[in-house]
Amino acid sequence: EVQLVESGGGLVQPGGSLRLSCATSGFTFSRYSMNWVRQAPGKGLEWVSYIIGSGSTIYYADSVKGRFTISRDNAGNSLYLQMNSLRAEDTAVYYCARCLEDVRALLYWGQGTLVTVSS
Amino acid sequence: DIVMTQSPDSLAVSLGERATINCKSSQSVLYSSNNKNYLAWYQQKPGQPPKLLIYGASSRESGVPDRFRGSGSGTDFTLTITSLQAEDVAVYYCQQYYSAPYSFGQGTKLEIK
């Protein structure tokens, strides 16, 4: 059974940093592209970042470029999102999501971790 | 960047009736080399993560009931629920994965009339 479990969310002050983790199991992690998607309270989905299985290709939303860094540990089956210079508008539930094998649609999702940026 | 626009923002349909949600992309998401549309549809119920329903504009993910149908090509797409069931109440999103950033539509809230 495929499982994605996010952790690392919490309350942080504006300008602060946070590192999210996504622990995975039930599939060969290195074979799949992974994403972070966020959802502000009561709002729609916003795609945040993508990383290919090897880690060699990475994309970001314009809203987080230069502040967030996606990475992965294929030996440890984990995905990460380092978030720096956090703003109030980064407040959201952050989901990690796995792509289909050869298609970048998002098949498996974690339950999400809440990040709140507030003083 | 590709902008995805869904219509309507909300929709109320009677049980057993057809529900139709539209999604328009600001540029084509049809990849000419393989003739595939890089468009997905998701369903999100309150308190849950999204669920993939359709990818490639019209391919139903395994286990998704066949009352969910995706259609369209290029820039105009439609998600049709042919006979609405109570458990279909949710917010529906389209997403393009043709080019990064892989943008979502704003969502369409589907309710029972």
Side-chain angles (χ1 to χ4, degrees):
Chain A
E1 180 192 5
V2 172
Q3 289 195 321
L4 307 175
V5 180
E6 302 94 337
S7 61
L11 176 63
V12 60
Q13 292 189 337
S17 298
L18 215 52
R19 189 194 196 205
L20 305 184
S21 300
C22 174
T24 75
S25 60
F27 63 101
T28 304
F29 181 67
S30 60
R31 288 179 56 186
Y32 292 89
S33 299
M34 299 293 296
N35 298 257
W36 288 99
V37 176
R38 68 184 181 183
Q39 188 168 36
K43 303 298 184 182
L45 301 172
E46 180 185 12
W47 175 85
V48 172
S49 186
Y50 164 95
I51 185 168
I52 203 169
S54 65
S56 60
T57 298
I58 286 173
Y59 302 120
Y60 296 101
D62 290 344
S63 58
V64 306
K65 201 173 295 183
R67 300 188 299 123
F68 290 11
T69 302
I70 192 172
S71 62
R72 62 190 297 156
D73 173 4
N74 285 346
N77 299 323
S78 293
L79 177 72
Y80 303 101
L81 186 68
Q82 177 67 43
M83 305 186 296
N84 298 331
S85 303
L86 283 162
R87 307 166 181 167
E89 54 264 36
D90 296 319
T91 294
V93 173
Y94 285 74
Y95 296 101
C96 68
R98 197 206 85 178
C99 293
L100 286 161
E101 185 156 4
D102 296 315
V103 174
R104 294 182 180 181
L106 307 178
L107 177 57
Y108 291 105
W109 297 67
Q111 290 298 312
T113 187
L114 176 62
V115 172
T116 303
V117 184
S118 175
S119 55
Chain B
D1 296 357
I2 298 176
V3 177
M4 307 300 290
T5 304
Q6 293 180 226
S7 62
D9 290 334
S10 63
L11 181 63
V13 174
S14 300
L15 289 173
E17 296 299 305
R18 177 184 299 253
T20 301
I21 300 170
N22 300 300
C23 175
K24 187 174 184 67
S25 57
S26 61
Q27 61 191 77
S28 177
V29 299
L30 174 63
Y31 195 44
S32 56
S33 65
N34 59 11
N35 202 38
K36 292 184 178 181
N37 288 282
Y38 286 25
L39 189 284
W41 288 98
Y42 301 87
Q43 174 194 66
Q44 188 179 30
K45 298 181 179 180
Q48 297 183 18
K51 174 186 175 182
L52 176 65
L53 298 175
I54 303 285
Y55 62 92
S58 59
S59 296
R60 199 179 304 115
E61 172 54 24
S62 176
V64 174
D66 62 6
R67 65 179 181 273
F68 290 92
R69 298 180 184 174
S71 62
S73 185
T75 61
D76 291 280
F77 301 92
T78 300
L79 175 69
T80 302
I81 307 172
T82 55
S83 177
L84 189 71
Q85 306 298 303
E87 61 264 32
D88 300 335
V89 169
V91 180
Y92 292 84
Y93 297 91
C94 61
Q95 183 205 19
Q96 65 81 19
Y97 48 92
Y98 179 87
S99 69
Y102 299 136
S103 43
F104 288 91
Q106 80 275 19
T108 295
K109 186 174 184 179
L110 177 58
E111 299 173 314
I112 304 295
K113 185 187 291 183

